[in-house]
Amino acid sequence: MKPLFLLFLWVSFFSFSQEKYPKNYFQNPLDIPLELSGTFGELRSNHFHAGLDLKTQGKEGFKVFAVADGYISRIKIQQYGYGKTIYITHPNGYASVYGHLSKFNTKIEAYVKRIQYKKENYETGNLFPKTDAFILKKGEIIAFSGDTGGSGGPHLHFEIRDTKSEHVINPLLFGINIPDSKSPTIQSLLVYPLSPDARINQQYNRHKISIKNIGNGKYRSDRISASGTIGFGVNIFDRLDNSWNKNGIYSLEMLVNGKRQYYHDVSTFSFAESKYLNLLIDYGYYKKYKRRIQKTFKEDKNELSIYKDLVNNGKINIKSGFNYTIEIIAKDIAGNTSAVKIPVKGEKSNAVFKKQKDTTAYKIIADKFQKFKKENITIAFPKNTFYQDIYLDFTVDSGVAKIHTPSIALNKSYTLTFNVSKYTTQEKEQLYIANTEYAKYPRYVNTRKKDTTFYTTTKTLGKYTLKKDSLKPEVKILYIDNNQWITSAKTLKVKVSDVDSGIKNWRATIDDSWVLMQYNHKKGILTYNFSDKILAGSKHIFKIVLSDNVGNTTERSITFFKKQTK
């Protein structure tokens, strides 16, 4: 009877979750068969995925529709992030979001272009049109799918938000149907000692436990012996029908001798809490092995709202002489289930654990502001930058600051400052702060310059140094020769690159008048569309000035001939 009762509880809970949201209010945002490359709540770098990533057959330009009546409440264009984005407010208390668009419909495009040309900037920031500027009907074309912003390929990012709380909600709870008959895949299982007296197989360290897939979503593990307080973690992915993408799961549950001790699901969350994903996962394991282990216990500083029915925060007290059956259950939003059972024998251990002594002078007290200096480098940590007290490794060798390792997640940014008083004015102009964790690929970090100091703020520990960039960016005007007639050309494209500090900005003009060039940073291509403005006469001069992050500048110009065509 117990399995049937648990099934009834799951079906009841899932039905309740589904019934909270209207099922037939929103239509699909695309008119092609819906396939997902990314699911809601997937574990991403430092955040949960806030929507659905809808595949567009590897192409751009599919029509994007308003999913319900409403008005456009916000438009945003940025180089990274969601790229070209539309936000629609609906009268039922929800808002829909459409990201990575290639272009808007004619009316919206004209509105945005006017602002871009007025500001002489591709990035608009947040635009808030009047509520009656763009009134939309359900099914109206608002834009076309694309690959703008921080997209990894053509697709539509789609969200539904609660307009009151600004929480994002899983769009699949609103009746969008994606074929899914596959159970999640459990890849690996880890167990953790969580108290000083805890022992696992006579040792005090994290253990990876072998598991075997016995079919139909069922797994079993090797038996372990343990004592004290322990916790578990699993690496899991889910696949949808007709797709090989490794997607996220919907819920994770843990039973101890048949009783629920841990549960979370990703039906909704706020952007403010998304950073606590780094406490949900084993962050150090992820940084080392690039696999995200989801813990079935809650860390003390974890403020995620996704948890329900926690007993002792999911931590299990193992008593000597008792046997335990731990079952970890993963579900996708369609209800497909996988579960692994772990037999645990409570066995007192005589193994003595000697904690390695920390000798570093740089001790972090998490709830205090702390500042340390070594040679010409200073690091300053606001209180609660770290989630717990730690001993920090801080060394400087040949101008490279090693600030611990990037295996610890931070709650806040800290400040890293270099004293540059020994450099000449010209040298300082070409210097920038770089993250050199991967020595072959130094990465520019936002460098703020004062007379005698350079500083940056970051949430990433690791290696940093000053790098010199004396090379100008490279610019190549594509497909056009000087003094060429290009009457039939619809666009003008420029290939740009910079090997050191990276491209910061550009300014392009035709006949000394600013023109809008959209940057595809993945391909390094800037594109101007001739339909933007009417050119007077037939002879024209195109000029572009490109700057990198330290101010090195390259200028190119070309004369072309083009008759205005309708």
Side-chain angles (χ1 to χ4, degrees), residues 400-418:
V400 178
K402 183 188 177 192
I403 308 160
H404 211 76
T405 66
S407 60
I408 297 176
L410 301 186
N411 181 44
K412 294 180 179 180
S413 295
Y414 67 97
T415 301
L416 167 65
T417 303
F418 286 79

Side-chain angles (χ1 to χ4, degrees), residues 430 468-475 496-503 546-556:
Q430 295 181 335
K468 180 181 179 181
D469 181 1
S470 59
L471 300 176
K472 293 183 177 182
E474 294 186 1
V475 178
V496 297
S497 62
D498 187 81
V499 296
D500 284 328
S501 62
I503 294 167
L546 184 74
S547 299
D548 64 20
N549 278 296
V550 300
N552 296 313
T553 300
T554 299
E555 182 178 314
R556 291 283 185 274

Side-chain angles (χ1 to χ4, degrees), residues 236-481:
I236 306 175
F237 69 84
D238 186 45
R239 280 198 171 111
L240 304 168
D241 295 355
N242 309 314
S243 176
W244 284 97
N245 297 84
K246 292 183 177 181
N247 299 123
I249 60 171
Y250 176 72
S251 69
L252 191 62
E253 181 181 23
M254 182 179 67
L255 308 180
V256 179
N257 291 338
K259 294 182 179 180
R260 177 187 279 183
Q261 188 149 337
Y262 175 93
Y263 178 84
H264 86 253
D265 67 53
V266 284
S267 55
T268 181
F269 60 85
S270 72
F271 287 103
E273 66 182 290
S274 196
K275 66 179 181 179
Y276 295 108
L277 171 143
N278 288 333
L279 293 180
L280 168 69
I281 67 171
D282 183 336
Y283 188 81
Y285 189 94
Y286 166 68
K287 297 301 286 187
K288 185 173 182 179
Y289 299 108
K290 303 305 177 189
R291 287 196 171 189
R292 293 183 175 95
I293 304 295
Q294 299 190 55
K295 301 171 187 173
T296 56
F297 56 95
K298 182 184 176 186
E299 300 283 5
D300 293 340
K301 298 290 186 178
N302 189 340
E303 296 182 20
L304 286 171
S305 63
I306 63 176
Y307 298 106
K308 300 176 181 69
D309 303 333
L310 297 185
V311 176
N312 195 32
N313 281 332
K315 300 171 184 178
I316 308 166
N317 295 319
I318 302 296
K319 296 180 180 178
S320 181
F322 289 83
N323 291 320
Y324 302 81
T325 298
I326 313 299
E327 185 174 16
I328 298 175
I329 305 164
K331 291 186 173 75
D332 60 29
I333 199 165
N336 300 306
T337 302
S338 290
V340 57
K341 285 189 176 181
I342 310 120
V344 179
K345 181 181 180 182
E347 187 173 82
K348 187 71 175 175
S349 171
N350 295 320
V352 177
F353 167 65
K354 291 185 178 180
K355 189 175 181 181
Q356 186 175 356
K357 187 177 180 180
D358 287 297
T359 57
T360 175
Y362 307 106
K363 183 177 181 181
I364 296 291
I365 307 298
D367 62 356
K368 292 183 179 179
F369 169 83
Q370 284 168 291
K371 185 175 182 178
F372 307 113
K373 183 177 181 181
K374 200 171 185 66
E375 296 183 18
N376 67 319
I377 297 169
T378 304
I379 49 177
F381 300 98
K383 66 179 183 178
N384 298 320
T385 297
F386 292 84
Y387 290 109
Q388 60 186 10
D389 297 354
I390 69 159
Y391 284 91
L392 186 81
D393 292 326
F394 175 35
T395 61
V396 177
D397 183 13
S398 301
V400 178
K402 183 188 177 192
I403 308 160
H404 211 76
T405 66
S407 60
I408 297 176
L410 301 186
N411 181 44
K412 294 180 179 180
S413 295
Y414 67 97
T415 301
L416 167 65
T417 303
F418 286 79
N419 187 308
V420 294
S421 56
K422 70 177 183 180
Y423 295 101
T424 67
T425 300
Q426 184 178 358
E427 287 173 328
K428 285 188 282 189
E429 286 177 355
Q430 295 181 335
L431 290 173
Y432 65 95
I433 301 173
N435 180 299
T436 56
E437 195 61 32
Y438 301 100
K440 289 184 178 180
Y441 305 101
R443 180 171 53 85
Y444 171 88
V445 295
N446 186 28
T447 305
R448 300 168 190 172
K449 298 184 176 183
K450 293 185 176 180
D451 288 341
T452 58
T453 58
F454 289 1
Y455 70 99
T456 190
T457 54
T458 178
K459 288 181 74 173
T460 303
L461 300 171
K463 296 177 182 177
Y464 293 87
T465 191
L466 292 174
K467 296 286 288 183
K468 180 181 179 181
D469 181 1
S470 59
L471 300 176
K472 293 183 177 182
E474 294 186 1
V475 178
K476 183 181 180 183
I477 300 171
L478 301 176
Y479 316 124
I480 300 175
D481 293 326

Side-chain angles (χ1 to χ4, degrees), residues 113-138:
K113 284 278 178 72
R114 282 196 300 271
I115 294 170
Q116 289 174 312
Y117 272 87
K118 184 178 179 180
K119 292 184 173 182
E120 296 191 353
N121 198 332
Y122 170 75
E123 293 193 313
T124 62
N126 285 310
L127 304 177
F128 300 98
K130 293 180 179 179
T131 55
D132 60 353
F134 300 104
I135 304 295
L136 301 169
K137 289 293 184 183
K138 184 176 184 177

